[in-house]
Amino acid sequence: MAGLDRRTVLAMALGLSACGARAVDAPGEIAPLKSLSPFPLGVCVMTGQLDEPQWTQLAHTHFDRLTPEWEMKAEAFFMNGPREDFSRADRIVDWARQQGMGVFGHTPVWYSQVPDHFTALAASAPQRFRDEYRAYVGRVIGHWRGQLAGWDVVNEPVTDEGSTLRDCLWSQQLGHEGYVIEAFRAARSADPGAPLLINEYNLETNARKLATYQRLIEACLNAGAPIDAIGTQTHVDCELAPGAISATVRELARFGLPVHISEIDVSTRYGDARRQPAIYAEAAEAMAALPERQRFGLTVWGLRDSDSWLVRDRRRARADAPLLFNGAGQPKPAAAALGEALARI
Ligand code: G3I
């Protein structure tokens, strides 16, 4: 069914449901999720997965946008020294283009990945820091000028506790709001056509963090920062209260900007795993409840359970099944529930 437009796939789903079958959960098969969705559906990717036929077939069938899981971060750019190496991410962008899929950039400015040469620069020549920071963001965003569906320009600016903004080298040198504003300005100059986003996690479960995030966005917008849309990562688990995703998306949408559910996964390590389908369905319903112009899209943070950062990280003792497809690439009830929620939009 790949390649069918949404109307055709919906008609097929309605036809099947009329005779009692649910098109989205025929045993082992579901309709292509991207064909059911009125907004972009994304999944994160790592270059190694491009060599896995099962991964590439599933990803191309169900999703229309890819977010590099680590290859567009400082850790990838500077693995071989202080000059950006874009080759890992280039491979993803090239593959996506061949597949007719979009790529969403993630993320040059993150408190947890400050390149060593910036730390050295702050100590040796702080007067040059701002210019080099702007130049770095400009080189990254400009490398794929006109090619990407958008960028998480700044990631996770709020502390875990939620009342304050994170301290990091960027904030120490340029101010807590300053480094955000400078990054967005440099990004806009480097790629005027790319939607520019800010991105944060735990907004569904930490009201302080959500409020601090909103205050930062407000302050940066008032200072003229070109923030085009707002990301909420949505790394949640099965203890999540019903309605929490919808309330968070609704709250962020009050800026009148598009909202991106940017990294959803639903850990089954906590709570009743039978809640997982309803939580994925709520994410689709939350996006659908927005005006069309505010639906930036929904991105899942991994394809198969075995691909998840929550599973790959062997330090996590307990098993987990946070994604839509199981380790064998078969759709889970969560995938069927997401498909049904999308088909109802
Ligand atoms: O696979 C490479 C290997 O080839 C390379 O030699 C090695 C060198 O360090 O790195 C390996 O890549 C690792 C990569 O995950 C793939 O496993 C990186 O070390 C490791 O840092 C990277 O971790 C990623 C993490 O962000 C840090 O970048 C996770 O995959 C990724 O899921 C996680 O994603 C974050 C979002 O960006 C922000 N929101 C939270 C989310 C989960 O932590």
Side-chain angles (χ1 to χ4, degrees), residues 46 69-70 73 75 79 106 110 113 155-156 233 235 263 301 309 312:
M46 297 187 289
E69 190 161 355
W70 71 286
K73 297 173 182 172
E75 64 176 318
M79 277 178 91
H106 170 84
W110 190 14
Q113 293 192 10
N155 192 43
E156 302 175 5
Q233 295 179 12
H235 293 290
E263 307 180 14
W301 209 243
W309 67 292
R312 295 198 324 261

mmCIF file of all heavy atoms in Angstrom, residues 46 69-70 73 75 79 106 110 113 155-156 233 235 263 301 309 312, ligand 1:
data_model
loop_
_atom_site.group_PDB
_atom_site.id
_atom_site.type_symbol
_atom_site.label_atom_id
_atom_site.label_comp_id
_atom_site.label_asym_id
_atom_site.label_seq_id
_atom_site.Cartn_x
_atom_site.Cartn_y
_atom_site.Cartn_z
ATOM 1 N N MET A 46 19.835 6.061 12.750
ATOM 2 C CA MET A 46 21.295 6.097 12.865
ATOM 3 C C MET A 46 21.860 5.480 11.588
ATOM 4 O O MET A 46 21.235 4.581 10.995
ATOM 5 C CB MET A 46 21.751 5.296 14.082
ATOM 6 C CG MET A 46 21.266 5.847 15.407
ATOM 7 S SD MET A 46 22.001 4.991 16.784
ATOM 8 C CE MET A 46 21.167 3.404 16.687
ATOM 9 N N GLU A 69 19.672 10.365 15.011
ATOM 10 C CA GLU A 69 19.608 10.191 16.468
ATOM 11 C C GLU A 69 20.802 10.833 17.161
ATOM 12 O O GLU A 69 20.722 11.300 18.296
ATOM 13 C CB GLU A 69 19.543 8.696 16.805
ATOM 14 C CG GLU A 69 19.232 8.409 18.257
ATOM 15 C CD GLU A 69 18.723 7.008 18.533
ATOM 16 O OE1 GLU A 69 18.501 6.211 17.588
ATOM 17 O OE2 GLU A 69 18.546 6.701 19.725
ATOM 18 N N TRP A 70 21.984 10.840 16.470
ATOM 19 C CA TRP A 70 23.159 11.486 17.070
ATOM 20 C C TRP A 70 24.060 12.145 16.045
ATOM 21 O O TRP A 70 24.952 12.907 16.393
ATOM 22 C CB TRP A 70 23.935 10.488 17.907
ATOM 23 C CG TRP A 70 24.648 9.441 17.097
ATOM 24 C CD1 TRP A 70 24.115 8.376 16.447
ATOM 25 C CD2 TRP A 70 26.059 9.386 16.837
ATOM 26 N NE1 TRP A 70 25.074 7.675 15.789
ATOM 27 C CE2 TRP A 70 26.280 8.255 16.027
ATOM 28 C CE3 TRP A 70 27.141 10.172 17.234
ATOM 29 C CZ2 TRP A 70 27.547 7.892 15.602
ATOM 30 C CZ3 TRP A 70 28.416 9.810 16.819
ATOM 31 C CH2 TRP A 70 28.607 8.690 15.986
ATOM 32 N N LYS A 73 24.821 16.077 15.896
ATOM 33 C CA LYS A 73 25.166 16.679 17.191
ATOM 34 C C LYS A 73 26.660 16.906 17.239
ATOM 35 O O LYS A 73 27.428 16.289 16.474
ATOM 36 C CB LYS A 73 24.758 15.746 18.333
ATOM 37 C CG LYS A 73 23.275 15.473 18.439
ATOM 38 C CD LYS A 73 23.006 14.401 19.486
ATOM 39 C CE LYS A 73 21.546 14.058 19.598
ATOM 40 N NZ LYS A 73 21.315 12.887 20.473
ATOM 41 N N GLU A 75 28.810 15.755 19.154
ATOM 42 C CA GLU A 75 29.633 14.549 19.386
ATOM 43 C C GLU A 75 30.004 13.881 18.074
ATOM 44 O O GLU A 75 31.073 13.266 17.956
ATOM 45 C CB GLU A 75 28.893 13.559 20.271
ATOM 46 C CG GLU A 75 27.632 13.000 19.643
ATOM 47 C CD GLU A 75 26.963 11.949 20.515
ATOM 48 O OE1 GLU A 75 27.662 11.103 21.092
ATOM 49 O OE2 GLU A 75 25.734 11.998 20.640
ATOM 50 N N MET A 79 34.142 14.308 16.278
ATOM 51 C CA MET A 79 34.782 13.045 16.693
ATOM 52 C C MET A 79 36.247 12.995 16.288
ATOM 53 O O MET A 79 37.065 12.367 16.933
ATOM 54 C CB MET A 79 34.053 11.845 16.075
ATOM 55 C CG MET A 79 32.829 11.415 16.848
ATOM 56 S SD MET A 79 32.056 10.050 15.997
ATOM 57 C CE MET A 79 32.889 8.721 16.788
ATOM 58 N N HIS A 106 18.873 17.740 14.241
ATOM 59 C CA HIS A 106 18.826 17.691 15.718
ATOM 60 C C HIS A 106 20.238 17.422 16.200
ATOM 61 O O HIS A 106 20.736 16.316 15.942
ATOM 62 C CB HIS A 106 17.854 16.571 16.129
ATOM 63 C CG HIS A 106 17.856 16.221 17.571
ATOM 64 N ND1 HIS A 106 17.117 16.908 18.501
ATOM 65 C CD2 HIS A 106 18.525 15.266 18.238
ATOM 66 C CE1 HIS A 106 17.320 16.352 19.682
ATOM 67 N NE2 HIS A 106 18.149 15.371 19.567
ATOM 68 N N TRP A 110 23.431 22.119 22.570
ATOM 69 C CA TRP A 110 22.903 21.272 23.657
ATOM 70 C C TRP A 110 23.871 21.378 24.819
ATOM 71 O O TRP A 110 25.088 21.214 24.645
ATOM 72 C CB TRP A 110 22.792 19.837 23.149
ATOM 73 C CG TRP A 110 22.065 18.880 24.040
ATOM 74 C CD1 TRP A 110 21.273 19.158 25.123
ATOM 75 C CD2 TRP A 110 22.039 17.460 23.885
ATOM 76 N NE1 TRP A 110 20.763 18.002 25.654
ATOM 77 C CE2 TRP A 110 21.202 16.937 24.921
ATOM 78 C CE3 TRP A 110 22.612 16.567 22.986
ATOM 79 C CZ2 TRP A 110 20.960 15.582 25.073
ATOM 80 C CZ3 TRP A 110 22.364 15.216 23.119
ATOM 81 C CH2 TRP A 110 21.546 14.732 24.161
ATOM 82 N N GLN A 113 26.591 18.658 25.211
ATOM 83 C CA GLN A 113 27.633 18.348 24.222
ATOM 84 C C GLN A 113 28.304 19.651 23.776
ATOM 85 O O GLN A 113 28.015 20.193 22.717
ATOM 86 C CB GLN A 113 27.049 17.596 23.025
ATOM 87 C CG GLN A 113 26.557 16.215 23.380
ATOM 88 C CD GLN A 113 26.246 15.369 22.150
ATOM 89 O OE1 GLN A 113 26.563 15.738 21.026
ATOM 90 N NE2 GLN A 113 25.645 14.218 22.374
ATOM 91 N N ASN A 155 18.546 22.559 22.313
ATOM 92 C CA ASN A 155 17.916 21.411 22.965
ATOM 93 C C ASN A 155 18.062 21.505 24.482
ATOM 94 O O ASN A 155 19.137 21.832 24.988
ATOM 95 C CB ASN A 155 18.600 20.136 22.468
ATOM 96 C CG ASN A 155 17.844 18.882 22.854
ATOM 97 O OD1 ASN A 155 16.621 18.832 22.752
ATOM 98 N ND2 ASN A 155 18.563 17.887 23.328
ATOM 99 N N GLU A 156 16.970 21.302 25.196
ATOM 100 C CA GLU A 156 16.949 21.106 26.659
ATOM 101 C C GLU A 156 17.584 22.246 27.439
ATOM 102 O O GLU A 156 18.533 22.061 28.211
ATOM 103 C CB GLU A 156 17.610 19.761 26.992
ATOM 104 C CG GLU A 156 16.906 18.603 26.308
ATOM 105 C CD GLU A 156 17.587 17.255 26.505
ATOM 106 O OE1 GLU A 156 18.577 17.169 27.250
ATOM 107 O OE2 GLU A 156 17.128 16.272 25.889
ATOM 108 N N GLN A 233 9.558 16.721 23.677
ATOM 109 C CA GLN A 233 10.120 15.425 23.319
ATOM 110 C C GLN A 233 9.161 14.261 23.603
ATOM 111 O O GLN A 233 9.035 13.331 22.808
ATOM 112 C CB GLN A 233 11.436 15.184 24.066
ATOM 113 C CG GLN A 233 12.538 16.165 23.666
ATOM 114 C CD GLN A 233 13.825 15.942 24.408
ATOM 115 O OE1 GLN A 233 14.024 14.934 25.089
ATOM 116 N NE2 GLN A 233 14.755 16.907 24.319
ATOM 117 N N HIS A 235 9.167 11.857 26.018
ATOM 118 C CA HIS A 235 9.704 10.591 26.531
ATOM 119 C C HIS A 235 8.914 10.275 27.810
ATOM 120 O O HIS A 235 9.137 10.886 28.854
ATOM 121 C CB HIS A 235 11.205 10.685 26.865
ATOM 122 C CG HIS A 235 12.093 10.872 25.675
ATOM 123 N ND1 HIS A 235 12.313 9.876 24.747
ATOM 124 C CD2 HIS A 235 12.803 11.940 25.256
ATOM 125 C CE1 HIS A 235 13.142 10.320 23.810
ATOM 126 N NE2 HIS A 235 13.454 11.580 24.088
ATOM 127 N N GLU A 263 10.060 13.361 20.046
ATOM 128 C CA GLU A 263 10.869 12.171 20.371
ATOM 129 C C GLU A 263 10.058 11.140 21.170
ATOM 130 O O GLU A 263 10.559 10.495 22.065
ATOM 131 C CB GLU A 263 12.105 12.552 21.192
ATOM 132 C CG GLU A 263 12.964 13.637 20.607
ATOM 133 C CD GLU A 263 14.170 13.965 21.467
ATOM 134 O OE1 GLU A 263 14.500 13.196 22.379
ATOM 135 O OE2 GLU A 263 14.802 15.014 21.224
ATOM 136 N N TRP A 301 10.822 8.102 18.743
ATOM 137 C CA TRP A 301 12.267 7.990 19.001
ATOM 138 C C TRP A 301 12.752 6.553 18.893
ATOM 139 O O TRP A 301 13.212 5.939 19.842
ATOM 140 C CB TRP A 301 12.644 8.617 20.347
ATOM 141 C CG TRP A 301 14.050 9.141 20.360
ATOM 142 C CD1 TRP A 301 15.082 8.720 21.157
ATOM 143 C CD2 TRP A 301 14.594 10.179 19.540
ATOM 144 N NE1 TRP A 301 16.220 9.436 20.884
ATOM 145 C CE2 TRP A 301 15.966 10.326 19.892
ATOM 146 C CE3 TRP A 301 14.084 11.013 18.534
ATOM 147 C CZ2 TRP A 301 16.808 11.269 19.297
ATOM 148 C CZ3 TRP A 301 14.900 11.952 17.926
ATOM 149 C CH2 TRP A 301 16.251 12.071 18.308
ATOM 150 N N TRP A 309 16.966 3.745 22.483
ATOM 151 C CA TRP A 309 18.041 4.123 23.429
ATOM 152 C C TRP A 309 17.765 3.536 24.797
ATOM 153 O O TRP A 309 18.684 3.211 25.541
ATOM 154 C CB TRP A 309 18.162 5.640 23.517
ATOM 155 C CG TRP A 309 16.973 6.323 24.134
ATOM 156 C CD1 TRP A 309 15.701 6.422 23.613
ATOM 157 C CD2 TRP A 309 16.908 6.971 25.412
ATOM 158 N NE1 TRP A 309 14.879 7.099 24.463
ATOM 159 C CE2 TRP A 309 15.588 7.460 25.580
ATOM 160 C CE3 TRP A 309 17.850 7.219 26.425
ATOM 161 C CZ2 TRP A 309 15.166 8.152 26.717
ATOM 162 C CZ3 TRP A 309 17.441 7.900 27.560
ATOM 163 C CH2 TRP A 309 16.109 8.350 27.704
ATOM 164 N N ARG A 312 18.934 -0.197 24.151
ATOM 165 C CA ARG A 312 20.355 -0.353 23.779
ATOM 166 C C ARG A 312 21.263 -0.111 24.978
ATOM 167 O O ARG A 312 22.313 -0.697 25.121
ATOM 168 C CB ARG A 312 20.726 0.622 22.667
ATOM 169 C CG ARG A 312 20.056 0.417 21.349
ATOM 170 C CD ARG A 312 20.799 1.138 20.227
ATOM 171 N NE ARG A 312 21.351 2.403 20.644
ATOM 172 C CZ ARG A 312 20.773 3.594 20.416
ATOM 173 N NH1 ARG A 312 19.596 3.651 19.842
ATOM 174 N NH2 ARG A 312 21.362 4.712 20.789
HETATM 175 O O1 G3I B 1 27.420 4.064 17.198
HETATM 176 C C1 G3I B 1 28.427 5.003 17.453
HETATM 177 C C2 G3I B 1 29.777 4.415 17.162
HETATM 178 O O2 G3I B 1 29.885 4.134 15.775
HETATM 179 C C3 G3I B 1 30.816 5.413 17.572
HETATM 180 O O3 G3I B 1 32.109 4.903 17.340
HETATM 181 C C4 G3I B 1 30.659 5.782 19.026
HETATM 182 C C5 G3I B 1 31.696 6.811 19.425
HETATM 183 O O4 G3I B 1 31.283 7.417 20.634
HETATM 184 O O5 G3I B 1 29.373 6.366 19.217
HETATM 185 C C6 G3I B 1 28.314 5.502 18.853
HETATM 186 O O6 G3I B 1 27.182 6.318 18.856
HETATM 187 C C7 G3I B 1 26.469 6.444 20.052
HETATM 188 C C8 G3I B 1 25.031 6.640 19.589
HETATM 189 O O7 G3I B 1 24.187 6.996 20.670
HETATM 190 C C9 G3I B 1 24.505 5.386 18.907
HETATM 191 O O8 G3I B 1 24.423 4.360 19.857
HETATM 192 C C10 G3I B 1 26.971 7.675 20.803
HETATM 193 O O9 G3I B 1 28.229 7.410 21.355
HETATM 194 C C11 G3I B 1 25.972 8.039 21.903
HETATM 195 O O10 G3I B 1 26.363 9.272 22.518
HETATM 196 C C12 G3I B 1 24.597 8.240 21.284
HETATM 197 O O11 G3I B 1 23.673 8.505 22.317
HETATM 198 C C13 G3I B 1 22.525 9.257 21.886
HETATM 199 C C14 G3I B 1 22.284 10.360 22.917
HETATM 200 O O12 G3I B 1 21.090 11.098 22.575
HETATM 201 C C15 G3I B 1 23.453 11.333 22.944
HETATM 202 O O13 G3I B 1 23.633 11.882 21.674
HETATM 203 C C16 G3I B 1 21.325 8.323 21.842
HETATM 204 O O14 G3I B 1 21.489 7.386 20.787
HETATM 205 C C17 G3I B 1 20.069 9.139 21.577
HETATM 206 O O15 G3I B 1 18.908 8.313 21.642
HETATM 207 C C18 G3I B 1 19.925 10.264 22.599
HETATM 208 O O16 G3I B 1 18.801 11.023 22.189
HETATM 209 C C19 G3I B 1 18.438 12.086 23.084
HETATM 210 C C20 G3I B 1 18.033 13.292 22.250
HETATM 211 O O17 G3I B 1 19.106 13.687 21.403
HETATM 212 C C21 G3I B 1 17.579 14.435 23.151
HETATM 213 N N1 G3I B 1 16.492 13.985 24.015
HETATM 214 C C22 G3I B 1 16.824 12.818 24.841
HETATM 215 C C23 G3I B 1 17.235 11.656 23.944
HETATM 216 C C24 G3I B 1 17.511 10.407 24.753
HETATM 217 O O18 G3I B 1 18.612 10.625 25.588
#
